[in-house]
Amino acid sequence: MLTEQDVPELFAYRSAYREPEDFDTFWKGTLAETRAEREPDLELTAVPTGLETVDVFDAELPGFGGHPVRAWLRMPRHRRGPLPAVVQFHGYGSGRGTPLDDLLWASAGYAHLLVDARGQGGAWAGGGATPDPVGSGPAHPGFLTRGIEDRSTYVYRRVFTDAVRAVDALRARTDLVDPDRVALVGPSQGGGIALAVAGLVPGLAAAHFQAPFLCDIRQATRLTSAEPYAEIIGYLAARRDRVEQTFATLGYFDGLAFARRASAPAWFSAGLRDEVCPPVTAIAVYHAYAGPKELRLWEFNGHDAGGPDDLAVALGAFGALLKTSSHPAVLPSPAPTASSRKKER
């Protein structure tokens, strides 16, 4: 396991990842095609919950290919005027869950949109409600290798596009939210999706990436055999002639490329004992991130990356940025620390 003594060497790591030359062309074309299909409508249906301070709406919006994507929109009940907003993406295999889940951001005064990842939601945390009507070739069990034969068919092309459209749709509801005060959050896979959106959508106000997945992907498969990266390992163990083709596809979906194009003030976190998303991959994407940034390393935590204590950091940071008329400067951390407690002493 990593210890505090390893942190300086760990922090010095830089990834060998090289993005495809036509990365921008690919994503600009994908988003232009999708945006031309339908307006970013956000259809809302009120859900009775028995809650006294939060209103919950079943939300639907058009994603990749015009396919319907489901989400929950949670709003403070006693609200006045357009609110700052937080768009959240969930972890691998999960889904938007139930109406009573994830009440943090609405309770803190934000419009909170929690978006399904298509085809997922059958593993844990209450499930999801968004199917993926697109098939794929042979894949390892799970989602990570679906359509991986080609960048145009890879499942995360659809997932990332859905996520961008969710932000488009929420921003269009100026009766509910201030489009200039929209932030992104996500743990693990959700952090990877949020990174993609941060690199593809200009003008976002803030972001929080907790133990982000799909970053420095090839290095991650060298460092861990844990799920979900084990799906790539298993797939290539059976398809030995497709190694370079597979990583060529994944090059269009690596968080490092999106980080280089992101500008929103961002907070990163990683657990030094994370065996799912090796902490060095979060450090690599932190270094690549083009906007103002901070990184918090949790010495005794794994994939939870500080859990609610780390969320408290984001809650305080977002409050300073999204709930005031003047945005204070957010500066990079001067040096990595092994835990937040050590940093605060």
Side-chain angles (χ1 to χ4, degrees):
M1 287 293 184
L2 294 166
T3 67
E4 184 177 3
Q5 287 70 36
D6 299 309
V7 171
E9 181 178 350
L10 195 69
F11 194 73
Y13 171 76
R14 300 294 190 277
S15 173
Y17 164 80
R18 297 291 180 268
E19 67 187 51
E21 291 183 0
D22 61 345
F23 179 90
D24 289 316
T25 300
F26 171 73
W27 279 108
K28 286 177 181 177
T30 295
L31 296 181
E33 179 182 338
T34 296
R35 284 172 168 149
E37 290 170 343
R38 279 188 59 184
E39 293 296 317
D41 303 316
L42 185 65
E43 299 179 5
L44 301 176
T45 303
V47 177
T49 62
L51 298 173
E52 295 186 1
T53 60
V54 174
D55 292 325
V56 182
F57 300 89
D58 189 350
E60 184 175 301
L61 58 106
F64 180 93
H67 304 152
V69 175
R70 303 289 291 281
W72 296 122
L73 178 66
R74 298 179 175 91
M75 304 278 291
R77 178 161 298 170
H78 307 293
R79 54 189 180 269
R80 294 181 181 178
L83 296 176
V86 172
V87 182
Q88 180 177 349
F89 307 102
H90 59 73
Y92 190 82
S94 180
R96 65 175 185 166
T98 74
L100 297 181
D101 294 334
D102 297 293
L103 299 174
L104 170 68
W105 294 104
S107 299
Y110 298 89
H112 174 224
L113 188 71
L114 177 54
V115 185
D116 261 347
R118 61 167 62 210
Q120 298 188 27
W124 58 282
T130 303
D132 184 7
V134 180
S136 76
H140 191 278
F143 312 100
L144 198 53
T145 62
R146 291 186 181 178
I148 205 168
E149 299 91 347
D150 188 271
R151 63 184 186 174
S152 64
T153 59
Y154 189 44
V155 63
Y156 281 98
R157 183 187 184 214
R158 302 188 292 279
V159 171
F160 289 175
T161 301
D162 292 345
V164 168
R165 292 296 279 166
V167 173
D168 289 348
L170 185 62
R171 277 178 148 180
R173 292 296 303 260
T174 55
D175 56 323
L176 300 176
V177 306
D178 179 348
D180 294 324
R181 292 187 291 160
V182 176
L184 308 172
V185 299
S188 191
Q189 175 187 252
I193 297 172
L195 263 168
V197 177
L200 293 171
V201 177
L204 295 168
H208 179 236
F209 311 113
Q210 197 171 28
F213 181 50
L214 295 171
C215 297
D216 204 5
I217 299 171
R218 189 156 196 169
Q219 180 71 350
T221 61
R222 295 182 178 121
L223 295 176
T224 182
S225 58
E227 298 287 351
Y229 284 118
E231 295 175 23
I232 297 175
I233 297 168
Y235 176 83
L236 293 177
R239 292 165 180 80
R240 303 174 191 88
D241 61 334
R242 300 193 63 84
V243 173
E244 295 310 316
Q245 169 95 31
T246 295
F247 285 108
T249 295
L250 291 168
Y252 291 89
F253 303 91
D254 198 303
L256 285 162
F258 297 109
R260 293 167 183 166
R261 291 157 173 80
S263 60
W267 285 260
F268 291 81
S269 67
L272 289 185
R273 297 168 187 268
D274 191 343
E275 297 180 356
V276 177
C277 294
V280 71
T281 63
I283 289 171
V285 79
Y286 164 80
H287 285 310
Y289 195 84
K293 58 197 174 185
E294 291 187 6
L295 169 66
R296 186 161 295 216
L297 301 176
W298 297 86
E299 182 175 358
F300 295 103
N301 288 93
H303 196 49
D304 65 320
D309 286 339
D310 193 66
L311 281 176
V313 174
L315 194 64
F318 283 15
L321 277 174
L322 277 70
K323 292 189 175 182
T324 60
S325 57
S326 61
H327 290 184
V330 181
L331 301 177
S333 298
T337 55
S339 72
S340 65
R341 292 184 176 86
K342 194 150 295 197
K343 182 176 180 179
E344 292 165 353
R345 280 207 290 265

